[in-house]
Amino acid sequence: MVNFGYSNCKLTILLAHGMKIGDKHYRSLWLEEGETPQIRYIDQAVLPFRFETGTLHTPEDALLAITEMKVRGAPLIGAVAAGGIFLAAYRSAGKNHQETTVRKWAGKLKQARPTAVNLRVMVDRMADHVLNAFSPESPEERARKEYMKILEGETEACRMIGLHGLEILRDLHRKTGRTVNILTHCNAGWLACIDYGTATAPIYLAHERNIPVHVWVDETRPRNQGARLTAWELQQAGIPHTVITDNAGGHLMQKGCVDVVLVGSDCTTRNGDVANKIGTYLKALAARDNGIPFYVALPVSSIDREMENGVRNIPVEERSGEEVRLIEGLDGENLVRVSILSEEHPVSNPGFDVTPARLVTALITERGVCEATEGGIASLFTDP
Ligand code: MRU
């Protein structure tokens, strides 16, 4: 464990190799091979106050890491759940219950969180390779190879999202000749995505290429992923940023302080509707009212083409009311939760909202930038 104060940690982002912490480069998730393979992750539940890594030995560990929010963010929970299937196959190697074990865990992991579609996609992909592929290799070896492909594929997707999104930021800079002010919500950074991030990837690349950027970071109540994770990431990369309350964005847009809104997505439907962290929709409305472009960055693994209409069909996770009643922070050395609301009040805590496609300027994917329409999305899946 590396333990550091909020302001004096020595981290730098090296995009080709993940985040550098001390002498070591990190991704948010990695496989440690060896006699007993294990999966390691950065524990997001204690950031930015402590830097700790955790280990997944079993599919139960993968499930718990997801449900306890030690890992979060759509691409990452997909990769952790896929890792759960790898561990299920590995741990039951040579046993006659291997198939039922893998099926059981596929069912459980897919239900860990309901909104992020690539959790289901990655679990199905892994289970299919373990159970249905014709190959002389053992099921666990097939699982290992597919898992490595998923980790590398998701990382490469984010790098490509960065390159496509970079052109948008470059154009904005060319037009105005000054710092590009970006507003983002929640954490769609490298922590949420193994490496690079989705919404943050273009920002990191722009910064690397000396395009001046400044990021307005929504704190993102109730869990504060913006204040705790995005701000931390940006700080380590030396990117100018300012944390704001979730309600400040509209005001800043009216005052001309925001050039572009850039967010991630947990699920994008065939018609281009986008589910993301609760509060994203309000930012899209304010952006439209102020003539500010609103882009969504996402890997194609988070597009659900079976689902026709996001506003109507995407399942929105209802999370515990404790997240509304309590707020977590540092008291001296200790991470504590304090109550901000009397127990008597009923609370409601939807984790996500859906931004209708008509408010989305464009989708930035690893396959290119497209309109948030059925045709635009279909074009991502047809050969040029
Ligand atoms: O509840 P979380 O923290 O898993 O929600 C994450 C988000 O909403 C992110 O913005 C989303 O996954 C974007 S993709 C990196």
Side-chain angles (χ1 to χ4, degrees), residues 2 4 11 18-21 24-30 39-48 50-56 65 69-72 76 80 190-192 194-195 229 232-233:
V2 185
F4 44 68
L11 311 188
M19 170 87 69
K20 194 174 175 206
I21 303 181
K24 210 166 158 190
H25 295 276
Y26 280 88
R27 287 178 171 175
S28 61
L29 185 77
W30 66 99
I39 296 167
R40 307 289 307 279
Y41 64 93
I42 293 176
D43 185 346
Q44 299 184 31
V46 294
L47 280 172
R50 293 201 299 271
F51 181 84
E52 291 177 10
T53 58
T55 307
L56 310 175
M69 299 286 273
K70 289 170 183 289
V71 292
R72 37 124 328 264
L76 187 66
V80 170
W190 71 274
L191 286 166
I194 304 173
D195 210 346
L229 303 174
W232 181 79
E233 281 193 23

Side-chain angles (χ1 to χ4, degrees), residues 211-276:
I211 298 170
V213 288
H214 165 263
V215 187
W216 296 108
V217 181
D218 282 352
E219 62 174 345
T220 322
R221 273 287 284 153
R223 292 192 72 100
N224 292 333
Q225 289 95 328
R228 290 183 60 165
L229 303 174
T230 306
W232 181 79
E233 281 193 23
L234 295 171
Q235 185 191 32
Q236 309 322 316
I239 295 179
H241 63 281
T242 308
V243 179
I244 53 175
T245 63
D246 292 328
N247 301 324
H251 166 74
L252 292 169
M253 291 183 205
Q254 280 178 332
K255 295 288 172 196
C257 302
V258 179
D259 297 304
V260 60
V261 180
L262 193 43
V263 296
S265 167
D266 285 75
C267 178
T268 300
T269 49
R270 196 163 75 213
N271 66 343
D273 291 349
V274 173
N276 193 48

Side-chain angles (χ1 to χ4, degrees), residues 69 72-75 77 113 185-189 192-193 198 225 264-266 276-277 297 317 319 351-352:
M69 299 286 273
R72 37 124 328 264
I77 58 177
R113 295 192 67 192
H185 191 70
C186 196
N187 172 259
C193 302
T198 52
Q225 289 95 328
S265 167
D266 285 75
N276 193 48
K277 182 52 59 195
E317 180 178 11
R319 296 188 55 83
F352 298 88

Side-chain angles (χ1 to χ4, degrees), residues 29-32 35-41 53-65 80 83-92 105:
L29 185 77
W30 66 99
L31 175 63
E32 271 180 8
E35 221 168 284
T36 313
Q38 52 191 19
I39 296 167
R40 307 289 307 279
Y41 64 93
T53 58
T55 307
L56 310 175
H57 301 281
T58 64
E60 288 97 323
D61 293 343
L63 183 65
L64 275 179
V80 170
I85 299 299
F86 164 65
L87 293 168
Y90 179 83
R91 300 234 138 221
S92 56
W105 282 105

Side-chain angles (χ1 to χ4, degrees), residues 31-212:
L31 175 63
E32 271 180 8
E33 305 215 53
E35 221 168 284
T36 313
Q38 52 191 19
I39 296 167
R40 307 289 307 279
Y41 64 93
I42 293 176
D43 185 346
Q44 299 184 31
V46 294
L47 280 172
F49 310 111
R50 293 201 299 271
F51 181 84
E52 291 177 10
T53 58
T55 307
L56 310 175
H57 301 281
T58 64
E60 288 97 323
D61 293 343
L63 183 65
L64 275 179
I66 296 171
T67 53
E68 291 175 358
M69 299 286 273
K70 289 170 183 289
V71 292
R72 37 124 328 264
L76 187 66
I77 58 177
V80 170
I85 299 299
F86 164 65
L87 293 168
Y90 179 83
R91 300 234 138 221
S92 56
K95 309 256 169 59
N96 56 13
H97 59 76
Q98 189 179 42
E99 183 176 334
T100 45
T101 300
V102 168
R103 281 191 202 286
K104 178 185 88 180
W105 282 105
K108 286 190 180 202
L109 286 159
K110 280 202 284 187
Q111 283 169 19
R113 295 192 67 192
T115 304
V117 68
N118 43 354
L119 188 150
R120 299 193 290 281
V121 169
M122 293 304 171
V123 168
D124 283 342
R125 176 171 157 185
M126 284 293 292
D128 194 44
H129 267 78
V130 177
L131 303 174
N132 301 329
F134 293 101
S135 111
E137 287 166 328
S138 66
E140 54 280 7
E141 180 55 14
R142 290 200 296 272
R144 190 188 68 80
K145 285 194 174 152
E146 199 55 23
Y147 192 48
M148 293 307 288
K149 275 193 208 159
I150 287 177
L151 295 183
E152 288 315 308
E154 290 293 281
T155 302
E156 178 58 10
C158 287
R159 193 180 72 83
M160 291 307 295
I161 289 169
L163 288 172
H164 292 301
L166 170 65
E167 294 313 312
I168 293 169
L169 298 184
R170 202 197 298 279
D171 281 353
L172 283 167
H173 176 57
R174 271 200 205 111
K175 264 186 216 148
T176 62
R178 56 169 174 75
T179 298
V180 183
N181 282 292
I182 303 146
L183 186 142
T184 194
H185 191 70
C186 196
N187 172 259
W190 71 274
L191 286 166
C193 302
I194 304 173
D195 210 346
Y196 301 98
T198 52
T200 55
I203 299 171
Y204 290 135
L205 293 185
H207 179 70
E208 233 182 34
R209 284 157 176 75
N210 295 320
I211 298 170

